PDB file of all heavy atoms in Angstrom:
ATOM      1  N   GLY A  35     105.470  47.402  86.484  1.00 91.00           N
ATOM      2  CA  GLY A  35     106.264  46.701  87.499  1.00 91.00           C
ATOM      3  C   GLY A  35     106.788  45.370  86.984  1.00 91.00           C
ATOM      4  O   GLY A  35     107.936  45.005  87.230  1.00 91.00           O
ATOM      5  N   GLU A  36     105.943  44.639  86.263  1.00 88.00           N
ATOM      6  CA  GLU A  36     106.374  43.357  85.696  1.00 88.00           C
ATOM      7  C   GLU A  36     107.397  43.568  84.581  1.00 88.00           C
ATOM      8  O   GLU A  36     108.312  42.760  84.421  1.00 88.00           O
ATOM      9  CB  GLU A  36     105.164  42.581  85.183  1.00 88.00           C
ATOM     10  CG  GLU A  36     104.282  42.066  86.306  1.00 88.00           C
ATOM     11  CD  GLU A  36     103.063  41.317  85.810  1.00 88.00           C
ATOM     12  OE1 GLU A  36     102.814  41.305  84.580  1.00 88.00           O
ATOM     13  OE2 GLU A  36     102.355  40.753  86.651  1.00 88.00           O
ATOM     14  N   ILE A  37     107.251  44.644  83.818  1.00 83.00           N
ATOM     15  CA  ILE A  37     108.229  44.949  82.763  1.00 83.00           C
ATOM     16  C   ILE A  37     109.576  45.286  83.402  1.00 83.00           C
ATOM     17  O   ILE A  37     110.624  44.795  82.966  1.00 83.00           O
ATOM     18  CB  ILE A  37     107.727  46.096  81.862  1.00 83.00           C
ATOM     19  CG1 ILE A  37     106.522  45.624  81.054  1.00 83.00           C
ATOM     20  CG2 ILE A  37     108.833  46.586  80.930  1.00 83.00           C
ATOM     21  CD1 ILE A  37     105.809  46.720  80.285  1.00 83.00           C
ATOM     22  N   THR A  38     109.557  46.094  84.459  1.00 90.00           N
ATOM     23  CA  THR A  38     110.788  46.443  85.168  1.00 90.00           C
ATOM     24  C   THR A  38     111.456  45.184  85.722  1.00 90.00           C
ATOM     25  O   THR A  38     112.670  45.007  85.605  1.00 90.00           O
ATOM     26  CB  THR A  38     110.498  47.438  86.307  1.00 90.00           C
ATOM     27  OG1 THR A  38     109.930  48.615  85.735  1.00 90.00           O
ATOM     28  CG2 THR A  38     111.751  47.803  87.075  1.00 90.00           C
ATOM     29  N   ASN A  39     110.663  44.288  86.286  1.00 93.00           N
ATOM     30  CA  ASN A  39     111.186  43.031  86.815  1.00 93.00           C
ATOM     31  C   ASN A  39     111.802  42.186  85.701  1.00 93.00           C
ATOM     32  O   ASN A  39     112.845  41.559  85.884  1.00 93.00           O
ATOM     33  CB  ASN A  39     110.076  42.255  87.526  1.00 93.00           C
ATOM     34  CG  ASN A  39     110.541  40.912  88.023  1.00 93.00           C
ATOM     35  OD1 ASN A  39     110.506  39.921  87.296  1.00 93.00           O
ATOM     36  ND2 ASN A  39     110.979  40.880  89.263  1.00 93.00           N
ATOM     37  N   PHE A  40     111.166  42.177  84.523  1.00 91.00           N
ATOM     38  CA  PHE A  40     111.669  41.427  83.374  1.00 91.00           C
ATOM     39  C   PHE A  40     113.047  41.938  82.950  1.00 91.00           C
ATOM     40  O   PHE A  40     113.972  41.156  82.703  1.00 91.00           O
ATOM     41  CB  PHE A  40     110.662  41.547  82.227  1.00 91.00           C
ATOM     42  CG  PHE A  40     111.058  40.830  80.970  1.00 91.00           C
ATOM     43  CD1 PHE A  40     111.039  39.455  80.903  1.00 91.00           C
ATOM     44  CD2 PHE A  40     111.427  41.548  79.844  1.00 91.00           C
ATOM     45  CE1 PHE A  40     111.388  38.793  79.733  1.00 91.00           C
ATOM     46  CE2 PHE A  40     111.776  40.900  78.678  1.00 91.00           C
ATOM     47  CZ  PHE A  40     111.755  39.520  78.623  1.00 91.00           C
ATOM     48  N   TYR A  41     113.183  43.261  82.891  1.00 91.00           N
ATOM     49  CA  TYR A  41     114.482  43.844  82.546  1.00 91.00           C
ATOM     50  C   TYR A  41     115.534  43.512  83.615  1.00 91.00           C
ATOM     51  O   TYR A  41     116.684  43.233  83.293  1.00 91.00           O
ATOM     52  CB  TYR A  41     114.363  45.356  82.357  1.00 91.00           C
ATOM     53  CG  TYR A  41     113.962  45.745  80.959  1.00 91.00           C
ATOM     54  CD1 TYR A  41     112.631  45.685  80.559  1.00 91.00           C
ATOM     55  CD2 TYR A  41     114.906  46.143  80.038  1.00 91.00           C
ATOM     56  CE1 TYR A  41     112.266  46.029  79.265  1.00 91.00           C
ATOM     57  CE2 TYR A  41     114.540  46.487  78.745  1.00 91.00           C
ATOM     58  CZ  TYR A  41     113.217  46.423  78.366  1.00 91.00           C
ATOM     59  OH  TYR A  41     112.866  46.751  77.087  1.00 91.00           O
ATOM     60  N   GLU A  42     115.155  43.527  84.862  1.00 96.00           N
ATOM     61  CA  GLU A  42     116.080  43.201  85.947  1.00 96.00           C
ATOM     62  C   GLU A  42     116.504  41.735  85.866  1.00 96.00           C
ATOM     63  O   GLU A  42     117.674  41.406  86.052  1.00 96.00           O
ATOM     64  CB  GLU A  42     115.437  43.516  87.308  1.00 96.00           C
ATOM     65  CG  GLU A  42     116.335  43.254  88.487  1.00 96.00           C
ATOM     66  CD  GLU A  42     117.594  44.126  88.531  1.00 96.00           C
ATOM     67  OE1 GLU A  42     117.685  45.135  87.811  1.00 96.00           O
ATOM     68  OE2 GLU A  42     118.509  43.764  89.297  1.00 96.00           O
ATOM     69  N   ARG A  43     115.560  40.845  85.570  1.00 96.00           N
ATOM     70  CA  ARG A  43     115.912  39.425  85.397  1.00 96.00           C
ATOM     71  C   ARG A  43     116.865  39.241  84.226  1.00 96.00           C
ATOM     72  O   ARG A  43     117.792  38.429  84.281  1.00 96.00           O
ATOM     73  CB  ARG A  43     114.657  38.581  85.175  1.00 96.00           C
ATOM     74  CG  ARG A  43     113.907  38.279  86.440  1.00 96.00           C
ATOM     75  CD  ARG A  43     112.777  37.302  86.205  1.00 96.00           C
ATOM     76  NE  ARG A  43     111.672  38.010  85.552  1.00 96.00           N
ATOM     77  CZ  ARG A  43     110.943  37.506  84.557  1.00 96.00           C
ATOM     78  NH1 ARG A  43     111.180  36.303  84.097  1.00 96.00           N
ATOM     79  NH2 ARG A  43     109.966  38.200  84.024  1.00 96.00           N
ATOM     80  N   THR A  44     116.655  40.002  83.160  1.00 96.00           N
ATOM     81  CA  THR A  44     117.534  39.916  81.994  1.00 96.00           C
ATOM     82  C   THR A  44     118.942  40.386  82.353  1.00 96.00           C
ATOM     83  O   THR A  44     119.934  39.770  81.957  1.00 96.00           O
ATOM     84  CB  THR A  44     116.952  40.737  80.823  1.00 96.00           C
ATOM     85  OG1 THR A  44     115.669  40.214  80.494  1.00 96.00           O
ATOM     86  CG2 THR A  44     117.852  40.688  79.604  1.00 96.00           C
TER      87      THR A  44
END
Side-chain angles (χ1 to χ4, degrees):
E36 290 179 353
I37 292 171
T38 300
N39 177 273
F40 180 71
Y41 274 80
E42 182 63 14
R43 281 187 284 139
T44 300

